[in-house]
Coordinates of all heavy atoms in Angstrom, one line a residue:
M157 N 231.0 -11.6 -71.6 CA 231.7 -11.9 -72.8 C 233.2 -12.0 -72.6 O 233.9 -12.8 -73.1 CB 231.4 -10.8 -73.9 CG 231.3 -11.3 -75.3 SD 230.3 -12.8 -75.6 CE 231.3 -13.6 -76.8
R158 N 233.7 -11.0 -71.8 CA 235.1 -10.9 -71.4 C 235.5 -12.1 -70.6 O 236.7 -12.6 -70.7 CB 235.4 -9.6 -70.7 CG 236.6 -9.0 -71.1 CD 236.7 -7.7 -70.4 NE 238.2 -7.4 -69.9 CZ 238.5 -6.4 -69.2 NH1 237.7 -5.5 -68.8 NH2 239.7 -6.3 -68.8
F159 N 234.6 -12.6 -69.7 CA 234.9 -13.7 -68.9 C 235.1 -15.0 -69.7 O 235.9 -15.8 -69.5 CB 233.7 -13.9 -67.9 CG 233.9 -15.1 -67.0 CD1 234.8 -15.2 -66.0 CD2 233.0 -16.2 -67.2 CE1 235.0 -16.3 -65.3 CE2 233.2 -17.3 -66.5 CZ 234.1 -17.4 -65.5
L160 N 234.2 -15.1 -70.7 CA 234.3 -16.3 -71.6 C 235.6 -16.2 -72.3 O 236.2 -17.3 -72.5 CB 233.1 -16.2 -72.6 CG 231.8 -16.8 -72.2 CD1 230.7 -16.5 -73.2 CD2 231.8 -18.2 -71.8
F161 N 235.9 -15.1 -72.8 CA 237.3 -14.9 -73.6 C 238.4 -15.4 -72.6 O 239.4 -16.0 -73.1 CB 237.4 -13.5 -74.0 CG 238.7 -13.3 -74.8 CD1 238.8 -13.8 -76.1 CD2 239.7 -12.5 -74.4 CE1 239.9 -13.6 -76.9 CE2 240.8 -12.2 -75.2 CZ 240.9 -12.9 -76.4
L162 N 238.4 -14.9 -71.4 CA 239.4 -15.2 -70.4 C 239.5 -16.8 -70.2 O 240.5 -17.4 -70.2 CB 239.1 -14.6 -69.1 CG 240.3 -14.4 -68.1 CD1 241.3 -13.5 -68.7 CD2 239.8 -14.0 -66.7
C163 N 238.3 -17.4 -70.1 CA 238.2 -18.9 -70.0 C 238.8 -19.6 -71.1 O 239.6 -20.5 -71.0 CB 236.8 -19.3 -69.9 SG 236.1 -19.0 -68.2
L164 N 238.6 -19.1 -72.3 CA 239.1 -19.6 -73.5 C 240.7 -19.5 -73.6 O 241.3 -20.5 -73.9 CB 238.5 -18.8 -74.8 CG 238.9 -19.5 -76.2 CD1 238.0 -20.8 -76.3 CD2 238.5 -18.5 -77.2
L165 N 241.2 -18.3 -73.1 CA 242.6 -18.2 -73.1 C 243.2 -19.1 -72.1 O 244.3 -19.7 -72.4 CB 242.9 -16.7 -72.6 CG 242.9 -15.7 -73.7 CD1 243.3 -14.3 -73.1 CD2 244.0 -16.0 -74.8
I166 N 242.6 -19.3 -70.9 CA 243.1 -20.2 -69.9 C 243.2 -21.6 -70.4 O 244.1 -22.4 -70.3 CB 242.4 -20.1 -68.6 CG1 242.6 -18.7 -67.9 CG2 242.7 -21.3 -67.6 CD1 241.7 -18.4 -66.8
Y167 N 242.1 -22.0 -71.1 CA 241.9 -23.3 -71.7 C 243.0 -23.5 -72.8 O 243.6 -24.6 -72.7 CB 240.5 -23.4 -72.3 CG 240.4 -24.8 -73.0 CD1 240.3 -26.0 -72.3 CD2 240.2 -24.7 -74.4 CE1 240.1 -27.2 -73.0 CE2 240.0 -26.0 -75.1 CZ 240.0 -27.2 -74.4 OH 239.8 -28.4 -75.1
L168 N 243.2 -22.6 -73.6 CA 244.2 -22.7 -74.7 C 245.6 -22.7 -74.1 O 246.4 -23.6 -74.6 CB 244.1 -21.6 -75.7 CG 242.8 -21.6 -76.6 CD1 242.8 -20.3 -77.5 CD2 242.8 -22.8 -77.5
G169 N 245.8 -22.0 -73.1 CA 247.2 -22.0 -72.4 C 247.4 -23.4 -71.8 O 248.5 -23.9 -71.8
Y170 N 246.4 -23.9 -71.2 CA 246.4 -25.3 -70.6 C 246.8 -26.3 -71.6 O 247.6 -27.2 -71.4 CB 245.1 -25.6 -69.9 CG 244.9 -27.0 -69.5 CD1 245.5 -27.6 -68.5 CD2 244.0 -27.8 -70.3 CE1 245.3 -28.9 -68.1 CE2 243.8 -29.1 -70.0 CZ 244.5 -29.7 -68.8 OH 244.3 -31.0 -68.6
R171 N 246.1 -26.2 -72.8 CA 246.3 -27.1 -73.9 C 247.8 -27.0 -74.4 O 248.4 -28.0 -74.6 CB 245.4 -26.8 -75.0 CG 244.0 -27.2 -74.8 CD 243.8 -28.7 -74.7 NE 244.0 -29.4 -76.0 CZ 243.1 -29.8 -76.8 NH1 241.9 -29.6 -76.5 NH2 243.5 -30.3 -77.9
V172 N 248.3 -25.8 -74.5 CA 249.7 -25.6 -74.9 C 250.7 -26.2 -73.9 O 251.6 -26.9 -74.3 CB 249.9 -24.1 -75.1 CG1 251.4 -23.8 -75.4 CG2 249.2 -23.6 -76.4
L173 N 250.4 -25.8 -72.6 CA 251.3 -26.4 -71.6 C 251.3 -27.9 -71.6 O 252.4 -28.6 -71.5 CB 250.9 -25.9 -70.2 CG 251.3 -24.5 -69.9 CD1 250.7 -24.0 -68.5 CD2 252.9 -24.3 -69.8
K174 N 250.1 -28.5 -71.7 CA 250.0 -30.0 -71.7 C 250.7 -30.6 -72.8 O 251.4 -31.6 -72.7 CB 248.5 -30.3 -71.8 CG 248.1 -31.6 -71.2 CD 246.6 -31.8 -71.2 CE 246.3 -33.3 -71.6 NZ 244.9 -33.5 -71.8
S175 N 250.7 -29.9 -74.0 CA 251.4 -30.5 -75.2 C 252.8 -30.3 -75.1 O 253.6 -31.1 -75.7 CB 250.9 -29.8 -76.5 OG 251.2 -28.5 -76.5
L176 N 253.3 -29.3 -74.3 CA 254.8 -29.1 -74.0 C 255.3 -30.2 -73.1 O 256.4 -30.7 -73.4 CB 255.0 -27.7 -73.4 CG 255.0 -26.5 -74.4 CD1 255.1 -25.2 -73.6 CD2 256.1 -26.6 -75.4
F177 N 254.5 -30.5 -72.0 CA 255.0 -31.5 -71.1 C 254.8 -32.9 -71.6 O 255.4 -33.8 -71.1 CB 254.2 -31.2 -69.7 CG 254.8 -30.0 -69.0 CD1 253.9 -28.9 -68.7 CD2 256.1 -29.9 -68.6 CE1 254.4 -27.8 -68.1 CE2 256.6 -28.8 -68.0 CZ 255.7 -27.8 -67.7
L178 N 253.8 -33.1 -72.4 CA 253.5 -34.4 -73.0 C 253.7 -34.3 -74.5 O 252.6 -34.3 -75.2 CB 252.1 -34.8 -72.6 CG 251.8 -35.0 -71.1 CD1 250.3 -35.0 -70.8 CD2 252.5 -36.2 -70.5
P179 N 254.9 -34.2 -75.0 CA 255.0 -34.1 -76.4 C 254.5 -35.1 -77.3 O 254.1 -35.0 -78.4 CB 256.5 -33.9 -76.6 CG 257.2 -34.4 -75.4 CD 256.2 -34.3 -74.3
G180 N 254.4 -36.4 -76.7 CA 253.9 -37.5 -77.4 C 252.4 -37.5 -77.6 O 251.8 -38.2 -78.4
Q181 N 251.7 -36.7 -76.8 CA 250.2 -36.7 -76.8 C 249.7 -35.3 -77.3 O 248.9 -34.7 -76.7 CB 249.7 -36.9 -75.4 CG 250.0 -38.4 -75.0 CD 249.3 -38.7 -73.6 OE1 248.7 -37.9 -73.0 NE2 249.5 -39.9 -73.2
S182 N 250.3 -34.8 -78.4 CA 249.8 -33.6 -79.0 C 248.4 -33.8 -79.5 O 248.1 -34.8 -79.9 CB 250.8 -33.1 -80.1 OG 250.9 -34.0 -81.1
P183 N 247.6 -32.7 -79.4 CA 246.2 -32.9 -79.9 C 246.1 -33.3 -81.4 O 246.9 -32.9 -82.2 CB 245.5 -31.5 -79.8 CG 246.6 -30.7 -79.1 CD 247.9 -31.4 -79.0
S184 N 245.2 -34.2 -81.7 CA 245.1 -34.7 -83.0 C 244.6 -33.6 -84.0 O 243.9 -32.7 -83.5 CB 244.1 -36.0 -83.1 OG 243.0 -35.6 -82.6
E185 N 244.8 -33.8 -85.2 CA 244.5 -32.7 -86.2 C 243.0 -32.4 -86.2 O 242.7 -31.3 -86.2 CB 245.0 -33.1 -87.7 CG 246.4 -32.7 -87.8 CD 246.7 -31.3 -87.7 OE1 246.0 -30.5 -88.3 OE2 247.7 -30.9 -86.9
P186 N 242.1 -33.4 -86.4 CA 240.7 -33.1 -86.4 C 240.1 -32.3 -85.2 O 239.4 -31.4 -85.4 CB 240.0 -34.4 -86.5 CG 241.0 -35.4 -87.0 CD 242.3 -34.8 -86.4
E187 N 240.7 -32.6 -84.1 CA 240.3 -32.0 -82.9 C 240.6 -30.5 -82.9 O 239.8 -29.6 -82.5 CB 240.9 -32.7 -81.6 CG 240.1 -32.5 -80.3 CD 240.8 -33.1 -79.2 OE1 241.6 -34.0 -79.4 OE2 240.7 -32.6 -78.1
R188 N 241.8 -30.2 -83.3 CA 242.3 -28.8 -83.4 C 241.4 -28.0 -84.4 O 241.0 -26.9 -84.2 CB 243.7 -28.7 -83.9 CG 244.7 -29.1 -82.7 CD 245.9 -28.1 -82.6 NE 246.6 -27.9 -83.9 CZ 247.7 -28.5 -84.2 NH1 248.2 -29.4 -83.5 NH2 248.3 -28.2 -85.4
H189 N 241.1 -28.6 -85.5 CA 240.2 -28.0 -86.5 C 238.9 -27.7 -86.0 O 238.3 -26.6 -86.2 CB 240.1 -28.9 -87.8 CG 241.3 -28.8 -88.7 ND1 241.7 -27.7 -89.3 CD2 242.1 -29.7 -89.1 CE1 242.7 -27.9 -90.0 NE2 243.1 -29.2 -90.0
D190 N 238.4 -28.5 -85.2 CA 237.1 -28.4 -84.5 C 237.1 -27.1 -83.6 O 236.2 -26.4 -83.6 CB 236.8 -29.6 -83.7 CG 235.3 -29.7 -83.5 OD1 234.5 -29.4 -84.3 OD2 234.9 -30.1 -82.3
E191 N 238.2 -27.0 -82.9 CA 238.3 -25.8 -82.0 C 238.3 -24.5 -82.8 O 237.7 -23.6 -82.4 CB 239.6 -25.9 -81.2 CG 239.4 -26.6 -79.9 CD 240.7 -26.9 -79.1 OE1 241.6 -25.9 -79.2 OE2 240.9 -27.9 -78.7
V192 N 239.1 -24.5 -83.8 CA 239.2 -23.3 -84.7 C 237.8 -23.0 -85.2 O 237.4 -21.9 -85.3 CB 240.2 -23.5 -85.9 CG1 240.1 -22.4 -86.9 CG2 241.6 -23.6 -85.2
A193 N 237.1 -24.1 -85.7 CA 235.7 -23.9 -86.2 C 234.8 -23.2 -85.2 O 234.1 -22.3 -85.5 CB 235.2 -25.2 -86.6
R194 N 234.9 -23.6 -84.0 CA 234.0 -23.0 -83.0 C 234.3 -21.6 -82.7 O 233.4 -20.8 -82.5 CB 234.1 -23.8 -81.7 CG 232.9 -24.7 -81.5 CD 233.0 -25.5 -80.2 NE 233.8 -26.7 -80.3 CZ 234.7 -27.0 -79.4 NH1 234.9 -26.3 -78.3 NH2 235.4 -28.1 -79.6
V195 N 235.6 -21.2 -82.7 CA 236.0 -19.8 -82.4 C 235.6 -19.0 -83.6 O 235.1 -17.8 -83.4 CB 237.5 -19.7 -82.2 CG1 238.0 -18.3 -82.2 CG2 237.9 -20.4 -80.8
D196 N 235.7 -19.5 -84.8 CA 235.3 -18.7 -86.0 C 233.8 -18.6 -86.3 O 233.4 -17.9 -87.1 CB 236.0 -19.4 -87.2 CG 237.5 -18.9 -87.3 OD1 237.9 -18.2 -86.4 OD2 238.2 -19.5 -88.2
D197 N 233.1 -19.4 -85.6 CA 231.6 -19.6 -85.9 C 230.9 -18.4 -85.5 O 230.3 -18.3 -84.4 CB 231.1 -20.8 -85.3 CG 230.3 -21.7 -86.3 OD1 230.3 -21.2 -87.5 OD2 229.7 -22.7 -86.0
V198 N 230.9 -17.3 -86.2 CA 230.2 -16.0 -85.9 C 228.9 -16.1 -86.6 O 228.8 -16.5 -87.8 CB 231.1 -14.8 -86.4 CG1 230.3 -13.5 -86.0 CG2 232.4 -14.9 -85.7
M199 N 227.8 -15.6 -85.9 CA 226.5 -15.6 -86.6 C 226.4 -14.2 -87.3 O 226.7 -13.2 -86.8 CB 225.4 -15.7 -85.5 CG 225.3 -17.0 -84.8 SD 225.1 -18.4 -85.9 CE 223.3 -18.4 -86.0
V200 N 226.0 -14.3 -88.6 CA 225.9 -13.2 -89.5 C 224.4 -13.2 -90.0 O 223.7 -14.2 -90.0 CB 226.9 -13.1 -90.6 CG1 228.2 -12.8 -90.1 CG2 226.9 -14.4 -91.4
K201 N 224.0 -12.0 -90.4 CA 222.6 -11.9 -90.9 C 222.6 -11.8 -92.4 O 223.3 -11.0 -93.0 CB 222.0 -10.6 -90.3 CG 220.5 -10.5 -90.5 CD 220.1 -9.2 -89.7 CE 218.7 -8.9 -90.1 NZ 218.3 -7.5 -89.6
D202 N 221.8 -12.5 -93.0 CA 221.6 -12.5 -94.5 C 220.8 -11.2 -94.8 O 219.7 -11.0 -94.2 CB 220.7 -13.7 -94.9 CG 220.6 -13.8 -96.3 OD1 220.2 -12.8 -96.9 OD2 220.7 -14.9 -97.0
P203 N 221.3 -10.3 -95.6 CA 220.7 -9.0 -95.8 C 219.4 -9.2 -96.6 O 218.6 -8.2 -96.7 CB 221.8 -8.2 -96.6 CG 222.7 -9.1 -97.2 CD 222.6 -10.4 -96.3
F204 N 219.2 -10.3 -97.3 CA 218.0 -10.5 -98.1 C 216.9 -11.1 -97.4 O 215.8 -10.5 -97.2 CB 218.4 -11.4 -99.4 CG 217.2 -11.5 -100.3 CD1 216.8 -10.4 -101.1 CD2 216.4 -12.6 -100.3 CE1 215.7 -10.5 -101.9 CE2 215.2 -12.7 -101.2 CZ 215.0 -11.6 -101.9
C205 N 217.1 -12.3 -96.8 CA 215.9 -12.9 -96.1 C 216.0 -12.6 -94.5 O 215.1 -13.1 -93.8 CB 216.0 -14.4 -96.3 SG 217.4 -15.2 -95.6
E206 N 217.1 -11.9 -94.1 CA 217.2 -11.5 -92.7 C 217.3 -12.6 -91.7 O 216.8 -12.6 -90.5 CB 216.1 -10.5 -92.3 CG 216.1 -9.3 -93.3 CD 215.5 -8.0 -92.7 OE1 214.5 -8.2 -91.8 OE2 215.9 -7.0 -93.1
T207 N 217.8 -13.8 -92.1 CA 218.0 -15.0 -91.3 C 219.4 -14.9 -90.8 O 220.4 -14.5 -91.5 CB 217.8 -16.2 -92.1 OG1 216.5 -16.2 -92.7 CG2 217.9 -17.4 -91.3
Y208 N 219.6 -15.4 -89.5 CA 220.9 -15.5 -88.9 C 221.5 -16.8 -89.2 O 220.7 -17.8 -89.0 CB 220.9 -15.2 -87.4 CG 220.8 -13.7 -87.1 CD1 219.6 -13.1 -87.0 CD2 222.0 -12.9 -87.0 CE1 219.5 -11.8 -86.8 CE2 221.8 -11.6 -86.8 CZ 220.6 -11.0 -86.6 OH 220.5 -9.6 -86.4
F209 N 222.7 -16.9 -89.5 CA 223.3 -18.2 -89.8 C 224.9 -18.2 -89.6 O 225.4 -17.1 -89.5 CB 223.1 -18.7 -91.3 CG 223.6 -17.7 -92.3 CD1 225.0 -17.8 -92.8 CD2 222.9 -16.6 -92.7 CE1 225.4 -16.8 -93.6 CE2 223.4 -15.7 -93.6 CZ 224.7 -15.8 -94.0
P210 N 225.5 -19.3 -89.3 CA 227.0 -19.3 -89.1 C 227.7 -18.7 -90.3 O 227.5 -19.2 -91.5 CB 227.3 -20.8 -88.8 CG 226.1 -21.5 -88.5 CD 225.0 -20.7 -89.3
K211 N 228.6 -17.8 -90.1 CA 229.4 -17.1 -91.1 C 230.1 -18.2 -92.1 O 230.1 -18.0 -93.3 CB 230.4 -16.2 -90.5 CG 231.0 -15.2 -91.4 CD 231.9 -14.3 -90.5 CE 232.7 -13.3 -91.3 NZ 233.5 -12.5 -90.5
R212 N 230.7 -19.2 -91.5 CA 231.4 -20.2 -92.2 C 230.7 -20.9 -93.3 O 231.1 -21.3 -94.3 CB 232.0 -21.2 -91.2 CG 233.2 -20.7 -90.5 CD 233.5 -21.6 -89.3 NE 233.8 -23.0 -89.8 CZ 234.9 -23.4 -90.2 NH1 236.0 -22.6 -90.3 NH2 235.1 -24.7 -90.6
S213 N 229.3 -21.1 -93.0 CA 228.5 -21.9 -93.9 C 227.8 -20.9 -94.9 O 227.0 -21.4 -95.7 CB 227.5 -22.7 -93.1 OG 226.6 -21.9 -92.5
G214 N 228.1 -19.6 -94.9 CA 227.4 -18.7 -95.7 C 228.2 -18.5 -97.0 O 229.2 -19.0 -97.2
I215 N 227.5 -17.8 -98.0 CA 228.1 -17.4 -99.2 C 228.6 -16.0 -99.1 O 227.8 -15.1 -98.9 CB 227.0 -17.5 -100.4 CG1 226.1 -18.7 -100.3 CG2 227.6 -17.3 -101.8 CD1 226.8 -20.0 -100.7
K216 N 229.9 -15.9 -99.4 CA 230.5 -14.6 -99.3 C 230.5 -13.8 -100.6 O 230.7 -14.4 -101.7 CB 232.0 -14.8 -98.8 CG 232.7 -13.5 -98.5 CD 234.2 -13.8 -98.1 CE 234.9 -12.5 -98.0 NZ 236.3 -12.8 -97.7
E217 N 230.1 -12.5 -100.5 CA 230.0 -11.8 -101.8 C 230.5 -10.4 -101.4 O 230.0 -9.8 -100.5 CB 228.6 -11.8 -102.3 CG 228.4 -11.1 -103.6 CD 228.8 -11.9 -104.8 OE1 228.9 -13.2 -104.7 OE2 229.2 -11.3 -105.8
I218 N 231.3 -9.8 -102.3 CA 231.7 -8.4 -102.1 C 231.0 -7.6 -103.1 O 231.1 -7.7 -104.3 CB 233.3 -8.3 -102.3 CG1 234.0 -9.1 -101.2 CG2 233.7 -6.9 -102.2 CD1 235.5 -9.3 -101.4
I219 N 230.2 -6.6 -102.5 CA 229.4 -5.8 -103.3 C 229.8 -4.3 -103.1 O 229.7 -3.9 -101.9 CB 227.8 -6.0 -103.0 CG1 227.5 -7.4 -103.2 CG2 227.0 -5.1 -103.9 CD1 226.1 -7.8 -102.6
N220 N 230.2 -3.6 -104.1 CA 230.6 -2.2 -103.9 C 231.7 -2.0 -102.7 O 231.6 -1.1 -102.0 CB 229.5 -1.2 -103.6 CG 228.5 -1.3 -104.7 OD1 228.9 -1.4 -105.9 ND2 227.2 -1.2 -104.5
G221 N 232.6 -3.0 -102.7 CA 233.7 -2.9 -101.7 C 233.3 -3.4 -100.3 O 234.2 -3.5 -99.4
E222 N 232.0 -3.7 -100.1 CA 231.6 -4.2 -98.8 C 231.4 -5.7 -98.8 O 230.8 -6.2 -99.9 CB 230.3 -3.5 -98.4 CG 230.6 -2.2 -97.8 CD 229.5 -1.7 -96.9 OE1 229.3 -2.3 -95.8 OE2 228.8 -0.7 -97.2
T223 N 231.7 -6.5 -97.8 CA 231.6 -7.9 -97.7 C 230.2 -8.2 -97.1 O 229.9 -7.8 -96.1 CB 232.7 -8.6 -97.0 OG1 234.0 -8.0 -97.4 CG2 232.7 -10.1 -97.1
Y224 N 229.4 -9.0 -97.8 CA 228.1 -9.5 -97.4 C 228.2 -11.1 -97.3 O 228.9 -11.7 -98.1 CB 227.0 -9.1 -98.4 CG 226.8 -7.6 -98.4 CD1 227.5 -6.8 -99.4 CD2 225.9 -7.0 -97.6 CE1 227.3 -5.5 -99.4 CE2 225.7 -5.6 -97.7 CZ 226.4 -4.9 -98.6 OH 226.2 -3.5 -98.7
Y225 N 227.4 -11.6 -96.5 CA 227.2 -13.0 -96.3 C 225.8 -13.4 -96.5 O 224.9 -12.8 -95.9 CB 227.8 -13.5 -95.0 CG 229.3 -13.4 -94.8 CD1 229.8 -12.2 -94.3 CD2 230.1 -14.4 -95.2 CE1 231.2 -12.0 -94.2 CE2 231.5 -14.3 -95.1 CZ 232.0 -13.1 -94.6 OH 233.4 -12.9 -94.5
F226 N 225.6 -14.4 -97.4 CA 224.2 -14.9 -97.6 C 224.1 -16.3 -97.2 O 225.0 -17.2 -97.3 CB 223.9 -14.7 -99.1 CG 224.0 -13.3 -99.5 CD1 225.2 -12.8 -100.1 CD2 222.9 -12.4 -99.4 CE1 225.3 -11.4 -100.5 CE2 222.9 -11.1 -99.9 CZ 224.1 -10.6 -100.3
C227 N 222.8 -16.7 -96.8 CA 222.6 -18.1 -96.4 C 222.6 -19.0 -97.5 O 222.8 -20.2 -97.4 CB 221.3 -18.2 -95.6 SG 219.8 -17.9 -96.6
S228 N 222.3 -18.5 -98.8 CA 222.3 -19.4 -99.9 C 222.6 -18.6 -101.1 O 222.5 -17.4 -101.2 CB 220.9 -20.1 -100.1 OG 220.0 -19.1 -100.4
T229 N 222.9 -19.3 -102.3 CA 223.2 -18.5 -103.5 C 221.9 -17.9 -104.1 O 222.0 -16.9 -104.7 CB 223.7 -19.6 -104.6 OG1 222.9 -20.7 -104.7 CG2 225.2 -20.0 -104.2
A230 N 220.8 -18.5 -103.8 CA 219.5 -18.0 -104.2 C 219.3 -16.5 -103.6 O 218.9 -15.6 -104.3 CB 218.4 -18.9 -103.8
C231 N 219.6 -16.4 -102.2 CA 219.4 -15.2 -101.6 C 220.5 -14.2 -102.1 O 220.1 -13.0 -102.3 CB 219.7 -15.3 -100.1 SG 218.2 -15.9 -99.2
R232 N 221.7 -14.7 -102.4 CA 222.7 -13.7 -103.0 C 222.2 -13.1 -104.4 O 222.3 -11.9 -104.6 CB 224.0 -14.4 -103.2 CG 225.1 -13.6 -103.7 CD 226.2 -14.4 -104.2 NE 225.7 -15.2 -105.3 CZ 226.4 -16.3 -105.9 NH1 227.6 -16.6 -105.4 NH2 226.0 -16.9 -106.9
D233 N 221.7 -14.1 -105.2 CA 221.3 -13.6 -106.5 C 220.1 -12.7 -106.4 O 220.0 -11.7 -107.1 CB 220.9 -14.9 -107.3 CG 222.1 -15.7 -107.6 OD1 223.2 -15.3 -107.4 OD2 221.9 -16.9 -108.0
N234 N 219.1 -13.0 -105.5 CA 218.0 -12.2 -105.3 C 218.4 -10.7 -104.8 O 217.9 -9.7 -105.2 CB 217.0 -12.7 -104.3 CG 216.2 -13.9 -105.0 OD1 215.9 -13.9 -106.2 ND2 215.9 -14.9 -104.2
Y235 N 219.4 -10.7 -103.9 CA 219.8 -9.4 -103.3 C 220.5 -8.6 -104.4 O 220.3 -7.4 -104.5 CB 220.8 -9.8 -102.1 CG 221.1 -8.5 -101.4 CD1 220.3 -7.9 -100.5 CD2 222.4 -7.9 -101.5 CE1 220.5 -6.8 -99.8 CE2 222.8 -6.8 -100.9 CZ 221.9 -6.2 -100.0 OH 222.2 -5.0 -99.3
L236 N 221.4 -9.3 -105.2 CA 222.1 -8.6 -106.2 C 221.0 -8.0 -107.3 O 221.2 -6.9 -107.7 CB 223.0 -9.6 -107.0 CG 224.3 -9.9 -106.3 CD1 225.0 -11.0 -106.9 CD2 225.2 -8.7 -106.2
E237 N 220.0 -8.7 -107.5 CA 218.9 -8.3 -108.4 C 218.2 -7.1 -107.9 O 217.9 -6.2 -108.6 CB 218.0 -9.6 -108.6 CG 217.1 -9.4 -109.9 CD 217.8 -9.4 -111.2 OE1 218.9 -10.2 -111.2 OE2 217.4 -8.7 -112.1
R238 N 218.0 -7.2 -106.6 CA 217.2 -6.1 -105.9 C 218.0 -4.8 -105.9 O 217.5 -3.8 -106.2 CB 217.0 -6.5 -104.4 CG 215.9 -5.6 -103.8 CD 215.3 -6.1 -102.6 NE 216.3 -6.1 -101.5 CZ 216.1 -6.5 -100.2 NH1 215.0 -7.1 -100.0 NH2 217.0 -6.4 -99.4
I239 N 219.4 -4.9 -105.6 CA 220.2 -3.6 -105.6 C 220.4 -3.1 -107.0 O 220.6 -1.9 -107.3 CB 221.5 -3.7 -104.8 CG1 222.4 -4.9 -105.4 CG2 221.2 -3.9 -103.3 CD1 223.7 -4.8 -104.8
K240 N 220.4 -4.1 -108.0 CA 220.5 -3.6 -109.4 C 219.3 -2.8 -109.8 O 219.4 -1.8 -110.5 CB 220.7 -4.9 -110.3 CG 221.5 -4.7 -111.5 CD 221.7 -5.9 -112.3 CE 220.6 -6.0 -113.3 NZ 220.7 -7.4 -114.1
K241 N 218.1 -3.4 -109.4 CA 216.9 -2.6 -109.7 C 216.8 -1.3 -109.0 O 216.3 -0.3 -109.6 CB 215.7 -3.6 -109.3 CG 215.4 -4.5 -110.4 CD 214.1 -5.3 -110.1 CE 213.8 -6.4 -111.0 NZ 213.2 -7.6 -110.4
A242 N 217.3 -1.3 -107.8 CA 217.2 -0.1 -107.0 C 218.0 1.0 -107.6 O 217.8 2.2 -107.5 CB 217.6 -0.4 -105.6
S243 N 219.2 0.7 -108.2 CA 220.1 1.7 -108.8 C 219.7 2.1 -110.2 O 220.3 3.0 -110.7 CB 221.5 1.1 -108.8 OG 221.6 0.0 -109.7
E244 N 218.7 1.4 -110.8 CA 218.2 1.8 -112.1 C 217.4 3.1 -112.1 O 216.6 3.2 -111.2 CB 217.5 0.7 -112.8 CG 218.5 -0.2 -113.5 CD 217.9 -1.6 -113.9 OE1 216.7 -1.7 -113.8 OE2 218.6 -2.4 -114.4
Ligands
LIG542 ZN1 218.8 -16.0 -97.1

């Protein structure tokens, strides 16, 4: 994991240096967004259906001060319903 992180740093450093030496060829916007997307793409587990999915495509919900991610609004609603019933 640490090795991968190092590779990423070297790669990003290379990209920065390249854009410094070649100012006319700075990376295009969509490409940069794509890189950010890959770095941010963390897999999270839906607490309701227990499926793993990319965090970015999930539904974010803050319940009792804790942040949860759901694969769909249906799972979120079902989970909210379940904890509501459990607390009754
Ligand atoms: Zn789900």
